[in-house]
Amino acid sequence: SAVISQKPSRDICQRGTSLTIQCQVDSQVTMMFWYRQQPGQSLTLIATANQGSEATYESGFVIDKFPISRPNLTFSTLTVSNMSPEDSSIYLCSVDGQGSGYTFGSGTRLTVV
Amino acid sequence: AQSVTQPDIHITVSEGASLELRCNYSYGATPYLFWYVQSPGQGLQLLLKYFSGDTLVQGIKGFEAEFKRSQSSFNLRKPSVHWSDAAEYFCAVAPGRNEKLTFGTGTRLTIIP
């Protein structure tokens, strides 16, 4: 199955600033998925990133707030822009592990103060 | 749109006792089905998955799940729980390969001595 390296693992950020989260996969994948897990909650899909095209955002998430880059088949970034305390969450990337199920990065625990 | 229901928010089980966590899904066809476990402060680990074929699937850590089409269910079971099984368990579905996962709200499992 695919292995994902996600960083940073955690960060504490000032409100109004931006944070970029990176995910590197050890194999080429078509789709990468970005999720948010708010404190004590389940996972919610933010967007799907397909290499070579703009990301597809779920209802309630917009590109200006969560811009995504997908420069090649093994890498993607998610930026959380103009952060507020409500953005404090765990952010995870995921890929379809080609028959072995969906693999997740270890997550980025973001605290906005 | 697909949806996943985990009716039990919190379950407490004695160590050595059997366990069943419930999961029901709503989708027009048979989706891909998954169970994930998340220990405190940890990432998501895939326990098992169902794509097709035998409706009883075996996973890691002694877990199994049974797909029942007539009930739209995919319940997770373990014959004898260990203290290390205490965690949050998520059921998830996807319409097909490389499609977004939809997660249930999760079930928190507490193990008592």
Side-chain angles (χ1 to χ4, degrees):
Chain A
S1 61
V3 176
I4 302 175
S5 174
Q6 181 174 345
K7 58 182 180 182
S9 58
R10 60 179 61 229
D11 207 341
I12 301 173
C13 300
Q14 296 291 322
R15 67 178 67 200
T17 63
S18 297
L19 175 71
T20 295
I21 302 166
Q22 301 179 5
C23 278
Q24 178 76 50
V25 189
D26 68 345
S27 58
Q28 293 184 338
V29 293
T30 307
M31 301 289 194
M32 291 184 73
F33 304 90
W34 287 96
Y35 291 84
R36 180 177 73 182
Q37 186 177 27
Q38 295 178 298
Q41 303 295 314
S42 184
L43 283 81
T44 301
L45 181 67
I46 297 172
T48 302
N50 191 1
Q51 195 271 333
S53 62
E54 285 207 359
T56 302
Y57 289 82
E58 297 296 302
S59 175
F61 297 97
V62 295
I63 187 171
D64 290 346
K65 177 67 174 177
F66 298 101
I68 288 172
S69 78
R70 184 82 203 274
N72 57 54
L73 291 172
T74 64
F75 187 78
S76 179
T77 67
L78 169 77
T79 298
V80 186
S81 304
N82 188 24
M83 289 184 285
S84 67
E86 292 70 36
D87 294 319
S88 297
S89 297
I90 299 172
Y91 293 85
L92 303 102
C93 59
S94 175
V95 301
D96 183 350
Q98 301 302 310
S100 60
Y102 290 77
T103 302
F104 286 81
S106 54
T108 297
R109 184 179 295 271
L110 172 62
T111 302
V112 183
V113 297
Chain B
Q2 64 210 37
S3 65
V4 182
T5 301
Q6 293 181 248
D8 304 304
I9 296 174
H10 184 201
I11 285 182
T12 299
V13 178
S14 298
E15 189 167 15
S18 63
L19 170 71
E20 182 169 27
L21 302 182
R22 296 182 291 167
C23 173
N24 291 94
Y25 67 91
S26 174
Y27 185 63
T30 299
Y32 291 172
L33 298 157
F34 306 86
W35 275 99
Y36 286 87
V37 61
Q38 186 178 41
S39 299
Q42 302 296 310
L44 281 166
Q45 183 178 24
L46 178 66
L47 287 175
L48 46 76
K49 62 189 181 293
Y50 175 77
F51 292 159
S52 64
D54 191 347
T55 56
L56 184 63
V57 294
Q58 302 297 320
I60 62 171
K61 302 185 179 185
F63 285 93
E64 67 177 27
E66 185 172 13
F67 167 61
K68 293 186 177 180
R69 185 190 309 273
S70 62
Q71 300 177 18
S72 296
S73 68
F74 188 57
N75 294 348
L76 182 71
R77 300 194 294 249
K78 186 170 185 178
S80 176
V81 298
H82 185 261
W83 64 265
S84 60
D85 292 325
E88 188 86 20
Y89 291 79
F90 294 99
C91 181
V93 302
R97 295 294 307 280
N98 261 326
E99 305 241 21
K100 65 178 183 180
L101 275 174
T102 298
F103 282 83
T105 50
T107 297
R108 182 161 61 95
L109 175 65
T110 298
I111 308 295
I112 56 176

